[in-house]
């Protein structure tokens, strides 16, 4: 499936529409901040978890708020933000890398989007509660996300309104992976992209999966968002997965789009993305 080509850095202009938009008073990240955060990528897997922790602390998290959920065979980093009402939304990105490069595209870009979303949302009053999660061992078979999803008791799954997965930006406008994304969440995403006049699309990646899948398998609505083009195979899981090959505007657009997505989700009932029985 054809994706969008690389584009110049432009600011997204949020217009008055029927889709909920982030309040103008929020501490929004700039494209320069996003670029700086991407350049901080730790290239070795042994340094990645600590690098994620430092990034979240830099974005305003207290040391005590940064939790490591250790499942024995995998570690996930989790920061929670409590809302005023009921329901929880998970926003996640995997922190491990594979392929002998630097893992800058896959998936430090997703971690940067995640951490900046946290910075922007931490002071925002929300109806729902949020879990910002950096998953371990995605490249070994979605191990971190499976551990978290499988640990959620069946009788509490309905309290989880949605899961947004951020995996690999740097080449294009945001895209949805349709084979591991729920249709109702993709529908909302398309409404937001239309309101923002942002040309997002749906684009699967042959033979690839990501951390939204275990949540879908556990009956929690989920979507995977990426920012890749058709030549992704030339970069991911290879020595070319380096900062120098990233178009930082793609990461910035991923952040701004996902922020609007989360604001829209927060305004809807928790069961809005579940198929009615």
């Amino acid at each position: 499936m054809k994706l969008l080509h690389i584009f110049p850095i432009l600011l997204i202009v949020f217009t008055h529409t029927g889709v909920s938009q982030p309040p103008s008073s929020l501490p929004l990240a700039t494209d320069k901040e996003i670029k700086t955060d991407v350049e901080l990528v730790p290239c070795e897997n042994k340094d990645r978890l600590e690098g994620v922790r430092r990034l979240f602390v830099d974005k305003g998290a207290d040391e005590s708020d940064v939790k490591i959920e250790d499942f024995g065979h995998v570690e996930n980093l989790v920061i929670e933000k409590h809302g005023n009402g009921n329901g929880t939304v998970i926003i996640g990105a995997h922190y491990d890398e594979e392929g002998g490069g630097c893992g800058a595209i896959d998936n430090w870009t997703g971690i940067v989007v995640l951490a900046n979303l946290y910075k922007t949302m931490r002071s925002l009053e929300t109806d729902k509660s949020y879990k910002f999660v950096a998953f371990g061992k995605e490249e070994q078979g979605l191990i971190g996300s499976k551990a978290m999803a499988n640990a959620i008791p069946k009788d509490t799954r309905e309290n989880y309104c949605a899961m947004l997965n951020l995996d690999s930006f740097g080449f294009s406008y945001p895209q949805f992976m349709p084979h591991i994304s729920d249709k109702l969440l993709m529908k909302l995403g398309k409404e937001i992209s239309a309101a923002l006049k942002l040309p997002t699309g749906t684009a699967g990646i042959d033979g690839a999966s990501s951390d939204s899948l275990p949540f879908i398998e556990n009956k929690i609505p989920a979507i995977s968002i990426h920012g890749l083009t058709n030549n992704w195979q030339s970069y991911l899981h290879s020595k070319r997965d380096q900062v120098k090959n990233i178009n930082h505007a793609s990461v910035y657009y991923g952040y701004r789009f996902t922020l609007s997505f989360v604001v829209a989700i927060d305004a809807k009932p928790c069961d809005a993305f579940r198929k009615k029985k």
Side-chain angles (χ1 to χ4, degrees):
M1 185 178 294
K2 187 176 182 180
L3 303 184
L4 297 169
H5 296 295
I6 293 176
F7 48 86
I9 293 180
L10 297 171
L11 292 178
I12 299 176
V13 179
F14 289 100
T15 56
H16 180 68
T17 68
V19 176
S20 300
Q21 302 297 337
S24 58
S25 60
L26 284 181
L28 296 173
T30 66
D31 55 330
K32 290 183 179 179
E33 289 174 313
I34 295 287
K35 183 176 184 292
T36 297
D37 292 340
V38 170
E39 291 172 346
L40 293 173
V41 55
C43 293
E44 301 291 333
N45 263 322
K46 63 182 178 62
D47 302 321
R48 303 281 277 204
L49 184 56
E50 174 59 20
V52 175
R53 188 196 66 79
R54 288 198 306 267
L55 185 59
F56 270 96
V57 170
D58 181 64
K59 299 304 174 186
D62 292 334
E63 296 274 1
S64 59
D65 292 334
V66 182
K67 308 296 184 183
I68 303 297
E69 292 188 354
D70 188 345
F71 291 93
H73 57 296
V74 67
E75 293 177 316
N76 296 334
L77 182 146
V78 182
I79 301 180
E80 295 190 45
K81 177 198 179 309
H82 297 291
N84 297 324
N86 297 319
T88 297
V89 175
I90 297 169
I91 311 174
H94 76 87
Y95 64 82
D96 57 317
E97 68 89 22
E98 181 179 290
C102 202
I105 303 163
D106 182 15
N107 182 38
W108 190 251
T109 56
I111 291 294
V112 166
V113 172
L114 180 70
N116 280 281
L117 287 170
Y118 169 77
K119 176 187 175 181
T120 303
M121 293 182 62
R122 62 189 292 269
S123 58
L124 175 66
E125 276 202 27
T126 59
D127 180 64
K128 297 172 178 60
S129 296
Y130 289 84
K131 290 186 178 183
F132 300 85
V133 186
F135 295 112
K137 295 186 178 180
E138 187 265 2
E139 301 289 6
Q140 297 180 34
L142 315 182
I143 293 175
S145 55
K146 284 180 180 178
M148 182 177 192
N150 291 342
I152 297 173
K154 288 184 179 181
D155 61 354
T156 68
R157 288 176 188 167
E158 289 190 356
N159 297 329
Y160 286 82
C161 314
M163 185 272 178
L164 279 69
N165 177 51
L166 309 166
D167 194 347
S168 302
F169 298 84
F171 298 146
S172 77
Y173 292 105
Q175 311 285 326
F176 312 129
M177 296 181 69
H179 63 294
I180 52 172
S181 298
D182 278 299
K183 290 182 179 179
L184 291 176
L185 282 169
M186 286 195 294
K187 181 176 182 290
L188 177 62
K190 291 174 183 177
E191 291 172 358
I192 294 167
S193 65
L196 299 178
K197 297 181 172 58
L198 187 67
T200 57
T202 56
I205 298 177
D206 292 342
S209 190
S210 195
D211 287 318
S212 60
L213 181 60
F215 293 90
I216 291 173
E217 292 175 338
N218 280 276
K219 311 301 182 185
I220 295 171
I223 187 170
S224 277
I225 306 171
H226 68 85
L228 300 175
T229 52
N230 280 343
N231 64 345
W232 65 271
Q233 289 178 311
S234 299
Y235 295 90
L236 271 62
H237 299 179
S238 77
K239 293 182 179 180
R240 298 183 72 190
D241 189 346
Q242 304 283 348
V243 169
K244 65 181 181 181
N245 292 319
I246 292 175
N247 182 329
H248 297 282
S250 171
V251 190
Y252 178 70
Y253 273 94
Y255 155 72
R256 291 297 294 261
F257 174 77
T258 307
L259 176 58
S260 284
F261 206 153
V262 173
V263 169
I265 288 173
D266 196 74
K268 291 184 177 292
C270 189
D271 64 353
F273 309 105
R274 285 180 163 86
K275 294 179 180 178
K276 306 302 180 185
K277 296 180 181 179

